[in-house]
Amino acid sequence: MKRPGHRTTRRDFLLGAGALLPASLLATRLALAGSASAGSAGGDGRFVFILMRGALDGLAAVPPVGDPDHARLRGPMAVAGTRLDDTFALHPAMRFLADRYAARELLLVHAVATPYRERSHFDGQDLLETGATTPHALQTGWLNRALSARGAAGASAAASAAGATGATGVALGANVPLVMRGPAEVSSWSPSRLASLREETLQRLADLYAGDATLAARLADALASDAVAAQALGDESMTGMPAPAGAARGDAGDMESGKATGKPGHAALGETLRAAAGFLREPQGARVAVLETTGWDTHANEGGSEGALAQRLGALDGALGEFRAAMGAAWDRTAVLMATEFGRTAAGNGTRGTDHGTGAAAFLVGGAVAGGRVLADWPGLAPGALYQGRDLQPTRDLRALLKGVLHDHLQVSDRSLDADVFPGSAAVRREQGLLRG
Amino acid sequence: MDPVAAAMATNRYGLGARPGELAGIASDPRGALHAQLAGGPPLLSGQGLVDGATALARAESLRESLRAAKRGGQADAGTAFMKVGQYYRPLFVAEARARLQCAADCERPFVERLVHFWANHFAVSVDKALVLGLAGPHEREAIRPHVLGRFADLLRASTQHPAMLMYLDNAQSIGPGSRAARFARSGVGLNENLAREILELHTLGVDGGYAQADVTEFARVLTGWSIGGGRGRLRGGEPGHYFFREALHEPGARQLLGRRYRDDGEAQGLAVLDDLARSPATARHLATKLARHFAGDVPPPALIERLAQAYLAHDGELLPVYRALVDAPEYWAQPLPKYKTPFEYVASAYRALAVPLPEGQRALAPLELLGQRTWSPGSPAGWPDRAADWDGPSALLKRLEWADQLGQRLGAQRDAAGLAQEVLGGALSAHTQEAIAHADSGAQALTLLLGSPEFLRR
């Protein structure tokens, strides 16, 4: 419960009395202000990466309805959606995205994969997040290294911006996922239902962490993010909850909310993406946000045009609609990329679901995207065309897509992309023309 | 007397000290840990705790009566789901609350930590609503009885528990050549989810040397491992209990992981599980996870090797492995290497403050607020176990806000400086001591204790 009279404590603390924090700390982490360098680095693009953990069924989300084998393989699970071209349709639950496709703001990529060719979620997600070619080879994420590369390139231009090259990236959750971890300063933010700490207590905690670099950095990052979020959204929507602090919510939606996993669930996706808009749309806001989603691992009772997966896709689609509205004019500078660790089996399994597969689908949507098309070298679903006789054969490297976006939208150089962001990927040519020129 | 070792024993191996606990073990901290291992299995029972079979049978009969009502045009499918949820939710709350209560009170916190470790190793996640009422029974019925026993028994009990069979979709997996498949409509068949996760997560580990062909073959082996008391194809057996359905089982000998398993019904799968439990790859996988959990995010390879050897030398007996953990010199070299998970943090705060848990579901609110709702890791891999997974900026701020709430509530009645000595003892730094001593109020002093670097780690 917010205490009246303390409504703006945290923001005031940071922006005013916050000078009491160790100066070096605060300078690097007022953070989200560091992105003043953005304009001078060329371009002012905003980028959101949405991780779809659990292996999204690309053949349901973007069904190849024109492929003669599709209906045979999927049987009653076959999805009939919004027709996109001769081969592909979009799942009917994704109505907002269908509109974006019509407006040429949605680009779909199909039969795409990271270099990973096994079927472990956890190793697959490791590659999706690190950008490496073997699991557990790197401890940092490609998105963080891309931010580092930008920071290095723009350092001189940014020097005038209060010396801050700090956090231009924010994780929308309590913790920072691997894709966003690394040398570049990033923060995390998630809505809190507890009362804010008193200014004096925050100061004592900051002093208490003086000898502990990790905790000191985490605290300062958190406060900086909260300040920016509060500024953008207003205090009420950040912390104002009708329930008393500490009380559990008893509604049925609770179980599906995903609060449990520390990641926003589908019910909370809209709220979280609106908060992301708060960070991203402001001139001094973050450039990059990352959001984790779960629940795509549809081994049983997946459904088709309707059903379990349809509901999840619909929830995500609705949240994206809210995000666009909250971004306002900044939507035109925005690209949202949604990707998953691998696809699912071409055929349904014995329990009306699908098992772990290989080739997947990815989404790129935003006002900055040159969309209205599906990028695919479609391998087909004929028996001989399937990977190991069971999965969609990948014909495109996801890294080409990621490199194209990072280059055109966030001005990361080819040299950095080939060597640092995706080590050893020089042979993977970045995709050109993903964004409006 | 070794106050530093006592603080390490209660924090790294335990759930944080209750007042008086440090003094009680200071003369022989390691001996105290060994003594905890000596007792019987850490069973848990209590009011409101219903066994898994009863809960599942009741949920199934609810579903059935709703199906019947629906056939009569009286209800929709969504209602059935809601009714089962309404039945399961209080069971879940009672189970999760009993677990937290036990963590806050128990006299054998090291053993309790081992329960949590193995429950997380064999994770079932209640974000799959079908298992909401079964995750607690899974821990009490499949994990707790075997935590101090053999890994092979743990593996079998967890694999055959209805919670696991439903969570990883094996209960309805059907052999394509089985009797049931011959009479069924098209489209029924294998589901390889459980087979894959047993190999990848529960036994060999992802680099343990298996291929897709082994996964599929193992899935065939496991067909028929199901639950009693269903309808139609799934008729027969005790409702809510594990039941082997011969009619669903894929007949024939199977070849996997370089061995041949003869056509032997249920025993075929038991033989595979036993071989998996004995594999050196399994020993290394388990040793690595245990070492990381108790010693630090990057455990020394020599230590992993010693634990794996202890496992193999005793045919998968777990006590020798735990003893090697306690005796490992590496463990006692560095005071507080791990960042507490939200559950460990909340449990340790309750232990330190010795306050009763809030009533009912309110007791679980802190776990949810801090990002670790009980039995909800969201994936069969369980909760992650490295600092970077838990120490995000926003996560820290939430801990501090919760700590402050406790401080406001209890600070006036507590001597935080004395309490810091009682619960952190030899791990308490002069810097933290000083900060607590100079706090501007009792509330703030308690917030600083609970927010201190020493209290955030274990």
Side-chain angles (χ1 to χ4, degrees), chain A residues 8 12 22 27 37 42 53 107 176 195 197 230-231 235 258 262 267 302 322 344 346-347 377 381 385 392 407 411-412:
Chain A
T8 55
D12 292 349
S37 61
R53 295 192 192 278
L107 177 76
V176 179
L197 290 148
Q231 210 158 24
D235 274 346
E302 172 176 332
E322 292 182 46
R344 308 194 70 84
D377 304 309
L381 297 174
L392 175 61
H407 181 274
Q411 294 77 47
V412 182

Side-chain angles (χ1 to χ4, degrees), chain A residues 93-117:
Chain A
M94 305 185 91
R95 274 171 274 172
F96 167 74
L97 286 182
D99 287 347
R100 291 306 97 207
Y101 190 88
R104 300 190 167 276
E105 291 183 352
L106 169 64
L107 177 76
L108 295 153
V109 186
H110 221 318
V112 65
T114 70
Y116 185 64
R117 288 294 175 274

